[in-house]
Amino acid sequence: MSLSLSLSAALSGLSLTARGTQLVADNIANAQTEGYGVRALTQAARVTGLEGSGVMSTGITRDVDPMLLADLRHAKALKSQDDVLSDFWTRIESVFGMPDEPGGLTNLINALEVSLQHAATQPDSDALLHKVGQAATDIARSFVTLNDTLQVQRDTADSGIANDVGALNQSLLAIADLNDKIQKQTLLGGTPESLMDARQRLINDVSSIVSIREIPRNDGRVMVMGRDGSILVDRTAAQFGFVRTQAPGPGDTIGNGALSHVTLNGRNLHSENALFSAGRLGALLEIRDTAAPTVQNQLDTRAQDLITRFSQPDLDPSLAPGAFGLFSKAYMSGLPADITGSAGQIRLNPMADPGSGGAVWRLRHGLGLSVEPFGMTLDNSLLSKMLGALNKPSPLPAGTHAAKPAAAHASDALSMIAAKRLAQDQRGAVNMARVSALEDAFAARGVDTDTELSKLLVLEQAYAANARVIATVDAMWRSLLEIR
């Protein structure tokens, strides 16, 4: 080998070790960077003619396990869905209250029972009648609070859907743009690894919203496909659509056109679509379209049950047919057949509410009377009938439940909510454990600083050796030049 080829080989070694040192430095610096794929330099012998002439880089590899990454994304998408649903059920259960918790709906119904018992023993006591009115008011306020909480949850879900759809569209466009840039870099022999890191982070973001798969394509591109088979990104990006509904009401549904579908390229996507089987968007749709309406129906039937119990014709003879008894509905004069929204409308009958121009003596004598009867303050018949109506086993207005007292119906609703919350927490715990295990496995494939530092020692030795070769060749050239 000539001295010039020796010098060329040593210089190629210096160049390669310098590039390798840069990659090691990048790896160590990005040890905690999300979406970073460990870089490694590949090399091969350089041949000029029939002789070796040093070493050359054949490229940079980016170490990412696609199967492990796909499993981790799906597990995180399920966890994201669990977090949203668990928060919903926990919040509803908290507002509903436990049976023995002051302020809980069941506890308040029991308090009404106690106040009616006391008032029936001393019907001439206006103070005890006031307590009956206050207990009924507390029940009505509890229903209204629960109803308002549900409407806030549905509105928040609808707003979250709009935000996620906007984020999806932005991310998909960015992924398509990065696909083009990565392809160009790959074809031109560039280094698109940093662009691949950025694309991986964007795909991670998309997978937390909807359930997807990533499929490798030629020249460094990827195709992002939904679990339903829809192509979200290939050479171009798909377009999601959604129309925000401000403050949806109890009766607003997709079926009656009050709420919007999520669309994909103009096509309606139903909430059962596999695209929503994991991720935050599916959870938000479930809250808006299924979970919250289910709880709303539970509340409405129980509010209507309470109103109906005290509006029976044989309970208070002073009432006209169809008139309200102890409880009424806001802005209504008679009992409607439609129960939708009853939980937000239930009130203490204004005729028994001093704050609304009524009088508590009507709880003793009759809610339909305009003048208090003289000398009948010890008559407890109406109060006793009210107590009996509260505890009478009756079916709910929907007719799908067994006949039970009002407090038992409230307990059944709480049991349903608690069961949903518990089941969701159990699913969340399982998915949390799976995410933790997959994150540990993924981290093990990440940057190992000990390994990188050992590579650095090898590179240092290789650099010194190549530098020594250059110094030796230089000395040999000087010796030749000094010959006279």
Side-chain angles (χ1 to χ4, degrees), residues 427-447:
R427 284 194 295 270
V430 171
N431 286 324
M432 173 69 82
R434 185 163 178 256
V435 168
S436 180
L438 288 170
E439 282 181 335
D440 289 344
F442 196 76
R445 291 292 302 267
V447 177

Side-chain angles (χ1 to χ4, degrees), residues 90-112 138-139 142 145-146 410-411 414 417-418 421:
T90 300
R91 192 179 300 272
I92 296 302
E93 184 183 36
S94 174
V95 176
F96 201 102
M98 295 294 103
D100 57 349
E101 181 182 346
L105 183 58
T106 306
N107 184 274
L108 293 175
I109 293 175
N110 289 333
L112 175 60
D138 291 342
I139 291 172
S142 179
T145 299
L146 282 163
S411 294
L414 175 60
I417 294 169
R421 192 268 307 161

Side-chain angles (χ1 to χ4, degrees), residues 395-436:
L396 292 174
T400 57
H401 295 76
K404 294 181 180 180
H409 283 313
S411 294
D412 286 348
L414 175 60
S415 296
M416 183 278 291
I417 294 169
K420 292 282 190 181
R421 192 268 307 161
L422 181 59
Q424 189 59 56
D425 286 350
Q426 290 172 340
R427 284 194 295 270
V430 171
N431 286 324
M432 173 69 82
R434 185 163 178 256
V435 168
S436 180

